Amino acid sequence: MILATRVPWVQTVLVSIMAGLLIAAAGWVQQVREGRFPPPPLGATSLSITSGSLVKRLTAGYNTLAADLYWIRAIQYFGGIRLKLADPSGTLTRGEPIPTDYDQLYPLLDLTTTLDPYFTIAYRFGSIFLAEPFPSGAGRPDLAIALLEKGLRARPERWEYMQDVGFVHYWWRQDYPAAAEWFRRASEVEGAPWWLTSLAAVTLAEGGDRASSRLMWQAIRESAEIDWLQRDADRRLMQLQAMDDIDALQAEVDRVGSSTDALVRTWEALRGPRLSGIPVDPTSTPYTLTDGRVALSPSSPLFPLPEEPKRLIPPAS
Amino acid sequence: MTATLLIAVNVFRESVRDKVLYNLVLFAVLLMAASYLIGQLTAGQDVRIIKDLGLAATSIFGLFIAVFIGIQLVAKEVERRSLYSLLSKPIERYQLILGKYAGLVLTLALNLGMMAVALYVVLVYMNWTTEPLMRAAWEAPALDPALLTAIALTFVELAVVTAIALFFSTFSSPLLSAAFTFALFVAGRFSADLRNFDQAVDSPAAAALAQTLYWVLPNLAQFDVRARVVHGLPITAGYVGLAVVYAALYVSALLLAASLIFSRRDFK
């Protein structure tokens, strides 16, 4: 102790060690306390302020920074619910219910885009994940359209938003006249890709078809700025591929069945030059064959397949 | 002119020795470095977040520097009684005001320059570590020269705020000067609300008063081009030019008023 008073650095080291030990002891006591008296589960996410104009005033002009914070919050909220749905036992705290909707997603995206009307990715993210049915998304195509129309008021030159509105009408609402109208409007914007014109025409004339659907998902995939959008577009494209595979396999099953006048129940009946093993979907999961019907396996990551956009005019046979 | 220059250089030297200044700049630089980590939470919007946070930090910390040093420029001299020896020299009072202002604006320019360098360092790293395919999806390049336009307009805005702080410091206490300056800053950022006041109220008198205030109070929102720069939208030279001219006129008016008030003050 005499050394500590005479040599200042020794005193500093001793005091620092004592302070460190005390903090470590406090941490240990906290751990013991939380083991005996667990903290209550986190409450559901709630938005205290939902008015974008109020938040604008509170941020004193630093709107884009506030928009970034709300975007981070929207991403964390969406990803958090996805994780809880994928692994409830591993992610939910004790007593926390399994989420049943994404009710905060639209308010968060609305706030983000009110604070920064040029926030492109927020609109496009919303167009996909607001429209997708639960558990992939919020299941609210009306809100997806509302968000995109808000984006168009701020930036009427963004043909991508018009394309996305058309896509929501096409894929989720199967409202082909509305979809065609939005594709037409998008095609008239300077810089819009050439295929929007033909897409508008085909949609109006024939309704939904797989080729148009594939084109739109490929366009979304190529223009997507974040991984989630790209992965979702990839999944949809694989689902379309699976639908093509099922059609081709079903045609073969029907052909063999009509030639043998019996229901085809196993893949062995189809073995031949065109089919050497059990056919698999794009995720390498085998298709099922039950009583002459080919289907996607329920264990496939692509299950369930989407409701196919309906043709208004049947193809010429 | 020589006296003004000497005072400006002296203010600059004193300001760069101020610890508060170093702490503010250091904090801004750390925030910019941290923005790289924050960007990881944003699902592909990292370069956008870095730019937003960097430009906002430059503006906010520049504001603190402008206000907290600006309000002390005259008050400190009065408190230390060094003003009396200054005024006994053959310099005009307006030269003191102009010199103080020029010195602080020079300090601001240096600090904003340092923060701009820090921001670009983070963006260079971001650009270097990102794959070309991802870079192609950015709305604006990481090393976008337009960021300098945003920083330059932030500097012009802070030059106006500095003039406001200096104006209040010529007749008010530091605490009140800070309060008035911040109040005017917020009012200047939301001046558009004053312009559209007639849509919110029925009283023609109130609407007329709001309109008058709109034209008289400093319109600081025009210097905020961060959103446009971050999204790669163009900013014309005409827009920048008009904003700079507006700032120059407003600063001149404030410095004139400050010089007049200061010259009439009795320091006995």
Side-chain angles (χ1 to χ4, degrees):
Chain A
M1 286 308 291
I2 295 171
L3 183 65
T5 53
R6 286 194 180 165
V7 183
W9 69 263
V10 173
Q11 187 182 49
T12 304
V13 168
L14 282 173
V15 168
S16 302
I17 291 171
M18 278 168 57
L21 286 172
L22 285 167
I23 289 173
W28 177 76
V29 168
Q30 183 172 338
Q31 203 171 15
V32 168
R33 181 182 60 77
E34 286 183 6
R36 290 184 66 187
F37 308 103
L42 284 173
T45 304
S46 64
L47 273 178
S48 308
I49 303 171
T50 54
S51 163
S53 54
L54 176 60
V55 178
K56 263 188 177 177
R57 275 151 184 75
L58 292 175
T59 54
Y62 293 98
N63 299 331
T64 52
L65 192 60
D68 291 340
L69 293 174
Y70 274 102
W71 167 249
I72 290 173
R73 214 176 142 186
I75 290 293
Q76 297 301 310
Y77 168 76
F78 181 77
I81 291 190
R82 276 262 182 122
L83 280 173
K84 285 173 186 174
L85 292 171
D87 183 19
S89 57
T91 54
L92 291 170
T93 56
R94 200 193 303 179
E96 189 184 357
I98 295 175
T100 56
D101 55 33
Y102 291 93
D103 61 335
Q104 301 293 331
L105 185 58
Y106 177 74
L108 285 167
L109 292 175
D110 186 44
L111 274 166
T112 304
T113 51
T114 299
L115 290 163
D116 184 355
Y118 304 134
F119 210 142
T120 306
I121 191 58
Y123 295 113
R124 305 208 72 197
F125 180 90
S127 75
I128 300 292
F129 294 109
L130 280 171
E132 289 240 5
F134 192 81
S136 300
R140 294 292 303 271
D142 58 320
L143 292 179
I145 292 170
L147 191 69
L148 287 164
E149 287 178 341
K150 181 185 172 189
L152 280 168
R153 284 192 291 276
R155 298 190 71 179
E157 76 282 4
R158 293 294 300 218
W159 60 264
E160 295 92 337
Y161 298 169
M162 296 179 196
Q163 176 202 304
D164 289 344
V165 175
F167 180 76
V168 172
H169 282 296
Y170 179 95
W171 188 261
W172 302 112
R173 290 185 148 183
Q174 309 209 339
D175 183 350
Y176 303 115
E181 174 57 21
W182 279 102
F183 293 145
R184 185 196 64 75
R185 284 177 61 177
S187 69
E188 290 172 356
V189 175
E190 193 182 326
W194 60 268
W195 46 263
L196 276 170
T197 312
S198 51
L199 186 61
V202 166
T203 307
L204 190 63
E206 299 180 10
D209 74 326
R210 226 176 268 172
S212 303
S213 306
R214 186 170 278 119
L215 193 63
M216 280 184 273
W217 279 113
Q218 276 169 346
I220 289 170
R221 192 197 176 286
E222 279 156 23
S223 64
E225 294 170 39
I226 59 176
D227 286 348
W228 282 351
L229 284 180
Q230 284 177 345
R231 279 202 294 269
D232 198 66
D234 280 338
R235 183 170 175 272
R236 294 298 178 188
L237 288 167
M238 283 195 282
Q239 284 180 323
L240 289 170
Q241 180 59 50
M243 287 154 105
D244 285 344
D245 293 345
I246 288 170
D247 285 348
L249 288 167
Q250 188 63 57
E252 188 61 17
V253 164
D254 291 343
R255 185 188 67 77
V256 169
S258 61
S259 68
T260 60
D261 206 24
L263 276 178
V264 178
R265 296 180 196 277
T266 63
W267 293 114
E268 280 69 29
L270 299 180
R271 285 274 164 79
R274 287 198 285 184
L275 191 68
S276 55
I278 296 176
V280 296
D281 68 24
T283 65
S284 303
T285 309
Y287 290 109
T288 63
L289 177 59
T290 312
D291 293 335
R293 302 308 302 170
V294 180
L296 186 74
S297 168
S299 63
S300 170
L302 302 178
F303 188 85
L305 289 174
E307 189 178 335
E308 184 150 18
K310 299 177 184 52
R311 291 190 72 89
L312 295 176
I313 300 168
S317 50
Chain B
M1 187 57 115
T2 314
T4 306
L5 199 60
L6 285 170
I7 294 166
V9 168
N10 192 53
V11 167
F12 177 73
R13 276 203 201 122
E14 276 190 8
S15 298
V16 295
R17 278 190 229 137
D18 195 330
K19 283 182 191 154
V20 168
L21 194 76
Y22 285 121
N23 288 333
L24 285 174
V25 173
L26 179 67
F27 199 68
V29 168
L30 286 174
L31 196 59
M32 287 179 201
S35 66
Y36 177 75
L37 294 171
I38 295 167
Q40 308 304 309
L41 296 171
T42 60
Q45 298 298 293
D46 30 14
V47 95
R48 204 202 109 90
I49 301 291
I50 290 168
K51 286 182 184 178
D52 270 338
L53 199 50
L55 290 174
T58 304
S59 171
I60 293 168
F61 289 104
L63 175 68
F64 287 149
I65 292 169
V67 173
F68 289 116
I69 297 185
I71 58 173
Q72 296 282 353
L73 283 177
V74 173
K76 211 188 269 185
E77 300 278 7
V78 172
E79 192 185 327
R80 291 193 302 203
R81 300 195 185 278
S82 54
L83 187 69
Y84 304 112
S85 60
L86 257 180
L87 292 179
S88 66
K89 304 250 184 317
I91 57 169
E92 300 291 337
R93 291 199 180 190
Y94 77 88
Q95 287 176 316
L96 189 66
I97 294 293
L98 290 182
K100 293 280 185 188
Y101 178 75
L104 184 49
V105 165
L106 198 59
T107 308
L108 269 174
L110 175 68
N111 284 297
L112 257 62
M114 283 162 55
M115 288 193 266
V117 166
L119 176 60
Y120 270 100
V121 164
V122 177
L123 289 171
V124 161
Y125 179 73
M126 190 71 222
N127 197 52
W128 180 55
T129 55
T130 305
E131 291 174 13
L133 205 60
M134 288 300 294
R135 271 188 256 151
W138 289 342
E139 287 179 292
L143 303 175
D144 188 3
L147 286 171
L148 293 172
T149 308
I151 293 171
L153 281 176
T154 299
F155 168 71
V156 172
E157 180 187 19
L158 293 175
V160 175
V161 172
T162 303
I164 295 171
L166 185 61
F167 168 75
F168 284 121
S169 76
T170 56
F171 62 87
S172 186
S173 68
L175 189 63
L176 279 177
S177 298
F180 292 147
T181 307
F182 275 121
L184 269 188
F185 172 76
V186 173
R189 280 289 181 97
F190 293 120
S191 56
D193 286 345
L194 288 170
R195 188 173 190 188
N196 302 319
F197 210 64
D198 56 335
Q199 294 170 12
V201 295
D202 288 331
S203 163
L209 177 64
Q211 276 284 313
T212 307
L213 284 173
Y214 170 73
W215 292 110
V216 169
L217 291 177
N219 182 350
L220 300 179
Q222 64 182 301
F223 302 110
D224 179 9
V225 295
R226 286 188 292 273
R228 294 189 69 83
V229 162
V230 167
H231 289 288
L233 297 170
I235 302 163
T236 61
Y239 180 91
V240 175
L242 283 172
V244 171
V245 168
Y246 175 86
L249 291 169
Y250 212 93
V251 164
S252 303
L254 283 168
L255 292 179
L256 260 175
S259 301
L260 182 68
I261 294 169
F262 191 65
S263 67
R264 300 267 170 92
R265 262 187 83 171
D266 188 358
F267 289 102
K268 285 184 189 142

